[in-house]
Amino acid sequence: MITPLPKVPLPGPAALRALARAFANFGDFDRFVTGLQTALAQSAPFEHTAILLDSAVAAGSLPFLPGMMSVPLAGDGARHGLLQVAPRAENRQFGAEDLHLLAGLADFLSAVLDQAMRMQDAQRSQELLRFLLNQAPIGLAAYTPEKRLLVANDLGRDWLGEAGPPFLEIESGQENFHLRACGKLIYGEARRAPDGVWVIALHDLTPGQVRLMESLQRETFRGLVEERPVSFALVESPQVREGVLRQLPALRHALSGNELVGPYDANRIGIVLSGVGGAAARQRLRQWQGLLGDIGTLRVGLAELRRDGTSSETMLEAALRRSGPFGESVRPTVLVHDNDSGVASAISLILGREYRVLKSTDLGTTREILRREELDVFVTDLDLRGELSGTELVHEVRRLQPAIRPLFTSVHDAPYELTPELAAGGAVVLQKPFAPDVLREALRNRLGT
């Protein structure tokens, strides 16, 4: 018959508190062992026990005194050291109860020391992993399937902060996202490992933003010195998740040598077009419509050197101030000048769906419009009455805007008297009254669309 071990009274509160303090340092192996030793010292049956680690044995600090008993401390993972016990009274031998009690204590201590060492090794591995991750020039972070942070390098922690990545966007199927952090424009990519862990890679787009502004400044200065046009477009999407920044790689591939694109912020990209005026800039934007995403949600602001200032700052301000719906802003612009406001209104009504139409019956207004922006087509009456004839007005317009395409109307029958310069430039005369389809077709031919 097995005799049950006697119950040993313990000073419960003191021993438990000491044990709790020990487990509070579970990840720090040396402090954890010290805490366990303190807890043992506060329990009467174990006050003569001491935990000696292998490192202490190797250093020669193990006093093997007569009458002391040593019990090995070894878990499944490794050997940790010895549990050394001194008798509670002089000339007292260890009994069976002592041996059972100490064996049980050794098993307990071996198990907890084994786990403490594993945690210490895990923490060292994590610190080593963080050190390695910090060598990367990008931000890196890993999250559990429950979105709890596992590990991150310093850049990842700084850029993601306490809020972490936008998991709602990521789980909806958008693996790429943009955010503002620490004054920087950050582009993030999210991937999911087979075990469900989220891996986040973060790239700083701020250098690209700086290059964009430096390019605008450089081309503005060059345009002033070389007396050539420069245009700047700021394309904006209402949301970050499916915004225009996602289209940067495809757009860069479509650019020519005198064009540059880069991120302005999380919602906008800037495009610098060197040697290109406003009309040509609108045409380029129309050509890129298929690359920019959902045109119905985009906005764009356009600015031209000289018309909107002589510095990169004033051009940027003009592009920000002038932001409007993309489709409306990039439509070809037609200026109609006619003595009869009814004719100008009729032409506007016919062309208004496809073109942005400006009307004028006054030379001062027409000249102001020409100074304010670059136009695609100029429509006027060949038989204009007043200060200038139709051909004289077109020559003045072309001195201000050489690339503009003139289109005349006339109540007279052909042939029409056009100067050699206008005839060589492909000037067209439409006889009044004209059918709407004829006018639209003439405009398309003039624009080459």
Side-chain angles (χ1 to χ4, degrees):
M1 181 176 177
I2 299 176
T3 304
L5 292 175
K7 296 182 180 180
V8 180
L10 296 176
L16 287 176
R17 288 194 184 98
L19 197 60
R21 285 192 294 270
F23 275 89
N25 296 299
F26 197 65
D28 188 332
F29 189 76
D30 292 334
R31 294 184 66 183
F32 177 62
V33 173
T34 302
L36 286 178
Q37 181 65 68
T38 302
L40 291 175
Q42 294 186 8
S43 177
F46 304 127
E47 61 184 348
H48 298 284
T49 61
I51 301 172
L52 296 175
L53 301 179
D54 277 349
S55 58
V57 176
S61 60
L62 178 62
F64 289 99
L65 300 176
M68 297 187 69
M69 182 174 62
S70 297
V71 183
L73 298 175
D76 294 335
R79 193 182 72 180
H80 306 298
L82 299 172
L83 177 66
Q84 196 173 64
V85 188
R88 289 191 296 253
E90 189 176 354
N91 299 323
R92 180 184 180 277
Q93 293 184 345
F94 292 103
E97 295 85 357
D98 296 322
L99 295 177
H100 280 294
L101 188 61
L102 292 173
L105 178 62
D107 287 343
F108 168 74
L109 292 176
S110 296
V112 296
L113 288 173
D114 202 22
Q115 296 304 317
M117 184 165 284
R118 288 179 182 177
M119 177 171 283
Q120 184 185 46
D121 290 343
Q123 287 184 336
R124 284 176 177 170
S125 298
Q126 191 176 54
E127 289 302 316
L128 177 60
L129 179 59
R130 283 191 61 192
F131 173 77
L132 294 175
L133 293 178
N134 277 333
Q135 309 312 305
I138 63 175
L140 295 168
Y143 289 81
T144 67
E146 297 77 29
K147 306 177 184 62
R148 179 175 54 84
L149 180 65
L150 279 174
V151 66
N153 64 1
D154 291 344
L155 286 178
R157 288 178 182 273
D158 292 342
W159 292 345
L160 291 173
E162 295 295 330
F167 278 111
L168 288 178
E169 296 181 9
I170 294 170
E171 290 179 329
S172 69
Q174 300 298 330
E175 295 182 336
N176 304 330
F177 59 91
H178 295 86
L179 53 89
R180 274 282 182 186
C182 305
K184 296 179 179 294
L185 175 59
I186 306 300
Y187 168 72
E189 298 182 37
R191 299 291 184 271
R192 200 162 196 180
D195 60 355
V197 171
W198 290 103
V199 179
I200 310 295
L202 304 167
H203 309 263
D204 183 6
L205 294 183
T206 310
Q209 183 188 50
V210 172
R211 284 194 296 272
L212 172 69
M213 293 296 99
E214 288 178 345
S215 174
L216 177 60
Q217 187 177 35
R218 181 183 65 251
E219 295 305 321
T220 299
F221 178 75
R222 184 179 296 174
L224 292 173
V225 172
E226 298 178 0
E227 296 185 351
R228 63 175 181 174
V230 176
S231 295
F232 178 65
L234 209 54
V235 184
E236 177 183 1
S237 52
Q239 56 183 351
V240 173
R241 187 177 68 187
E242 299 175 355
V244 287
L245 268 72
R246 292 170 58 89
Q247 314 304 324
L248 273 176
L251 191 56
R252 284 195 176 105
H253 185 71
L255 296 181
S256 62
N258 64 331
E259 299 162 344
L260 181 138
V261 64
Y264 177 72
D265 60 20
N267 295 83
R268 286 175 284 203
I269 61 172
I271 307 173
V272 181
L273 302 107
S274 181
V276 175
R282 289 193 296 271
Q283 182 182 13
R284 289 295 280 156
L285 288 169
R286 291 195 297 272
Q287 293 172 349
W288 294 329
Q289 287 183 129
L291 300 175
L292 293 173
D294 185 5
I295 300 301
T297 64
L298 296 184
R299 298 177 66 84
V300 63
L302 274 168
E304 298 177 59
L305 182 61
R306 296 181 185 85
R307 285 192 174 88
D308 295 303
T310 56
S311 69
S312 58
E313 291 80 9
T314 55
M315 289 184 67
L316 175 61
E317 290 172 4
L320 289 169
R321 183 179 64 253
R322 220 173 262 163
S323 180
F326 187 93
E328 174 68 23
S329 300
V330 304
R331 290 198 298 173
T333 302
V334 178
L335 174 59
V336 181
H337 179 99
D338 200 285
N339 297 126
D340 189 340
S341 61
V343 172
S345 297
I347 294 175
S348 176
L349 184 63
I350 295 171
L351 301 177
R353 288 189 177 182
E354 297 181 50
Y355 307 96
R356 175 171 165 254
V357 182
L358 306 176
K359 300 177 295 181
S360 173
T361 57
D362 175 69
L363 278 176
T365 303
T366 297
R367 288 166 176 155
E368 175 59 29
I369 293 172
L370 291 165
R371 284 192 293 268
R372 190 175 65 231
E373 61 181 298
E374 187 173 311
L375 308 171
D376 294 271
V377 178
F378 180 70
V379 181
T380 190
D381 193 339
L382 185 64
D383 313 306
L384 200 64
R385 303 182 305 276
E387 181 181 338
L388 297 174
S389 67
T391 54
E392 290 173 334
L393 178 57
V394 166
H395 281 300
E396 180 181 330
V397 169
R398 295 193 70 183
R399 283 195 297 271
L400 294 171
Q401 297 190 22
I404 202 167
R405 301 165 178 86
L407 178 64
F408 293 100
T409 62
S410 176
V411 294
H412 299 293
D413 297 330
Y416 303 105
E417 293 184 4
L418 294 176
T419 63
E421 179 187 354
L422 292 175
V428 175
V429 182
L430 295 182
Q431 185 176 347
K432 297 177 183 179
F434 42 77
D437 290 343
V438 173
L439 178 61
R440 295 191 191 99
E441 185 65 24
L443 258 293
R444 295 191 189 103
N445 291 335
R446 289 269 63 197
L447 291 169
T449 59

